[in-house]
Amino acid sequence: MLKESLSKDNFDELDDFINSIEDKKGALIEVLHKAQHIFGYLPKDVQLFISKRLNIPSSKVFGVVSFYSYFTTKPRGQYVINICLGTVCFVKGADKIMEKFEQTLNIKCGETTPDGKFTLEGLRCVGACGLAPVVVINEKVYGKVTLDDVEKILFNYKDEVEDKKLAHSSI
């Protein structure tokens, strides 16, 4: 389930962070990183809030968000699956790994599953060419991934999600 992130508490947390910055003039990227961490993504309302609080044009905020691939304006799933599509990973079959994730999750690259568990994305290079092809899920790196590994990897996350649901239902 995608988190309900546009709460007053989240805006208050971002406001507190902005207030803690002494030199706000060069803080846009730092604030955007923090905002994406708090909200999970950077919707228009959050970008306008940052623009107002940093006293910079909204066009500059929109421009930075759209320029850097790290930033996203769409909600992401609980688990963000990034497949390296750099040259070495691609040569070693990353395109086939991507296709297998797409088929298994029934989504395309750039989409999120309807239940909000998984978002599938491609990266240009993660700098781990010796482990090619590489898949990164949130902070966990999987190296030398094969087509057979895809379902095994996803099954581990499915179990983790199901275990959390069971733990909450027994409370």
Side-chain angles (χ1 to χ4, degrees), residues 47-143:
Q47 293 180 55
L48 291 172
F49 179 84
I50 291 168
S51 168
K52 186 175 184 179
R53 290 292 291 118
L54 293 180
N55 196 29
I56 57 176
S58 59
S59 60
K60 181 173 182 176
V61 176
F62 299 149
V64 170
V65 168
S66 63
F67 179 78
Y68 290 103
S69 62
Y70 172 81
F71 298 123
T72 182
T73 58
K74 293 189 278 185
R76 289 182 169 169
Q78 180 180 5
Y79 300 105
V80 179
I81 302 167
N82 283 293
I83 298 164
C84 180
L85 299 171
T87 303
V88 176
C89 286
F90 193 85
V91 167
K92 293 196 172 197
D95 58 329
K96 302 290 186 239
I97 300 294
M98 176 67 82
E99 288 174 11
K100 181 70 173 180
F101 271 103
E102 289 177 335
Q103 291 168 358
T104 304
L105 294 171
N106 199 27
I107 59 173
K108 295 289 183 195
C109 182
E111 295 179 344
T112 299
T113 56
D115 62 4
K117 285 183 191 173
F118 299 102
T119 296
L120 185 60
E121 298 180 343
L123 295 174
R124 290 293 150 228
C125 183
V126 295
C129 300
L131 297 175
V134 175
V135 173
V136 181
I137 301 179
N138 292 356
E139 302 295 317
K140 186 166 173 70
V141 177
Y142 296 89

Side-chain angles (χ1 to χ4, degrees), residues 4-21:
E4 300 296 326
S5 64
L6 297 179
S7 70
K8 181 182 179 329
D9 289 343
N10 286 348
F11 278 100
D12 289 345
E13 182 181 349
L14 180 57
D15 198 41
D16 289 344
F17 177 77
I18 293 170
N19 287 333
S20 75
I21 298 171

